[in-house]
Amino acid sequence: MVIAERACALAELAGAERAAGPQRLEELWMETVRVASHAQQWTFTKDWEWLTSRARYALREIREETESAVCELVGVGRRSDARRPLVLFNPLPYAREQIIEVPWVQPRQEMGGHRVWDADGNEVRVQLGEQAGRVGAGDVLEAPLIFEAEVPASEPEEDTVDNGRLKLRLSGRGLQEVTDLASGLRWQAPLGSCIGDCKLFEMGPGILHIGPITGEISARMGTGRWVLTGPTRWLYRWEGEFHGHRVRQDVILDDDCAHVDFVTRVFCAGANGFFALCFDLPMSGEMHVDIPFGVEPRDLRDEPYATDLPPSSIERHREHQFWARSWASVSDGEQGIALITADGDRYWTYDAASGELRHILFTPVDDAEEGWEAWVTKDRMALGWHEFHHRLLFHKGDWRTADLCGESDRLRLPLQVVKPLGLEREPLIGQGDRLTVMPTSVRISAFYRAPQGYVLRLYESAGEETRAAVQLPAAFAEAVRVDFNLAPVEASVELDDDSLTLPLKPWEIATVLLRRR
């Protein structure tokens, strides 16, 4: 929804007539909030079916409104007798270089390969992703194209790969060793496990199914293979099985990047406990995590944990547990390791003594045959496949130096791929008609049109006083600082046509209402 409202606001400012306005976006926000109800694992079966059907439909509508607005902006179309255009919409007001994977239907094998050009007519290096279906003469296949977007190699040697920044060693049991070539840090997995191991922590009886941990299990063996072997992206896939559960994990390394991506797929056969992604960190230091509009330290040594606390404090029943919005970082001041999650729960655990960092993925619970819980949705048993995306980042300095708030945004708000339809027309957006924010420690939270005008919300993410400079996508006549309900507040803001500046205190959230001439 955040991406959709930004795309629609930019399109409308540029003069698009068919971009979704405030009333349409409010309808979609209402659907989003309605399907995000509290304690969904105790939703009755019929209510759950209604919620999930509405959620799927709302997601489709949100995506279609986004694509329609982007197509209006760039004015490109698609014909069967011409080159096929592809639009990458950046929902962040900061320039970015990124390797992107685009789903694409491949031509028949006898028609040759593929070529991609950027907007200036320069050919871009392309790698073909994992192909679906069998390969043979005359086949039309579904396979992604992988290439570098917004740009201003070698084959793996058996079980190792080096991308110039990191060196990885893998096996059929997953990622076994990482060497950070810049710092020399060498990280080895525990015996019989892997870096980023997916484990099941079984639980005994407890309040609202949060009981003491009674067992810790994961795959003892596995099988692995290379799926992609560069030069832009390497992908190693390993699979393991335990107690009827299955784990299939893709370990992904991109050229000249200091991060490793994990796509973890879990098949749950039924359990009472929680699945978690586990990292035995090779270093110690201070931990910091992000929260909505801020960053906090997490020193768990003096935190109170007890099973005799009241039911409303169930998160205190699990030792070393803490809350983080999207990332957790441990740094000694000179270097650090951060884990960023694109999905999964907001609960984590960290044992400073052992160095084990765990991100809780999901919590299946046993079925109930008696009482009111017998009528609750069976989906809370979490049977079947589940998929989660993480990024392990090796960085210099602390979380500020690494710009972890920005790194999280880039993972969680990726470039949006749009395949235009219809005839070509004049684009509505020019080279300068873009929303940009400086410095990068100032993050954008929202940009949308309300009945009163256009709303821009920013926040300071480094805990330092600064002055924000915003290049607006159009000229405005008035800028007013307002609260969350768009009521005016006494605060400084300066507007000069399409340039906006305002001072920000550490961690300050600023909402600005913009009105046009």
Side-chain angles (χ1 to χ4, degrees), residues 169 175-178 186-191 194-195 280-282:
R169 181 171 62 84
L175 180 56
Q176 295 299 306
E177 185 178 307
V178 180
R186 184 166 170 262
W187 182 1
Q188 282 190 298
L191 185 65
C194 64
I195 298 171
D280 291 271
L281 300 181

Side-chain angles (χ1 to χ4, degrees), residues 23 154 192 284:
Q23 183 177 350
S154 61
S284 59

Side-chain angles (χ1 to χ4, degrees), residues 52-263:
T52 52
S53 66
R54 293 299 304 177
R56 293 187 185 98
Y57 185 63
L59 282 170
R60 174 181 170 180
E61 289 187 305
I62 292 165
R63 179 67 181 176
E64 288 180 349
E65 294 292 3
T66 303
E67 294 189 356
S68 176
V70 171
C71 288
E72 287 278 301
L73 275 171
V74 296
V76 297
R78 174 175 165 183
R79 303 197 317 269
S80 60
D81 60 341
R83 291 179 178 177
R84 301 169 66 183
L86 181 73
V87 179
L88 303 179
F89 170 65
N90 181 8
L92 296 173
Y94 320 93
R96 62 205 291 186
E97 296 180 4
Q98 184 172 329
I99 294 173
I100 191 167
E101 183 173 305
V102 179
W104 206 258
V105 176
Q106 311 303 318
R108 294 189 300 274
Q109 295 295 307
E110 68 269 18
M111 294 181 65
H114 305 79
R115 301 173 71 184
V116 175
W117 293 265
D118 64 18
D120 297 323
N122 303 311
E123 190 163 359
V124 178
R125 186 177 70 177
V126 178
Q127 176 182 334
L128 193 63
E130 183 180 10
Q131 297 190 13
R134 63 188 183 88
V135 178
D139 287 342
V140 178
L141 300 172
E142 194 69 47
L145 301 179
I146 301 171
F147 56 89
E148 289 182 284
E150 300 296 330
V151 177
S154 61
E155 292 272 335
E157 181 181 346
E158 296 181 354
D159 60 351
T160 63
V161 61
D162 184 338
N163 76 340
R165 303 282 292 277
L166 301 175
K167 185 176 181 180
L168 275 59
R169 181 171 62 84
L170 303 110
S171 76
R173 189 54 184 86
L175 180 56
Q176 295 299 306
E177 185 178 307
V178 180
T179 302
D180 181 0
L181 299 178
S183 66
L185 178 68
R186 184 166 170 262
W187 182 1
Q188 282 190 298
L191 185 65
S193 181
C194 64
I195 298 171
D197 199 4
C198 182
K199 299 180 181 180
L200 170 62
F201 294 83
E202 295 179 319
M203 293 189 302
I207 299 172
L208 295 178
H209 303 278
I210 304 296
I213 295 175
T214 58
E216 176 182 331
I217 54 176
S218 63
R220 300 186 64 180
M221 301 178 64
T223 58
R225 63 185 178 92
W226 287 104
V227 176
L228 301 177
T229 55
T232 302
R233 171 166 293 174
W234 293 263
L235 189 158
Y236 187 89
R237 177 173 297 155
W238 72 274
E239 300 185 55
E241 187 172 344
F242 54 95
H243 291 203
H245 311 289
R246 292 172 59 191
V247 172
R248 187 176 78 179
Q249 187 178 79
D250 291 348
V251 182
I252 304 168
L253 185 68
D254 286 341
D255 186 36
D256 195 34
C257 290
H259 62 253
V260 181
D261 286 341
F262 297 85
V263 178

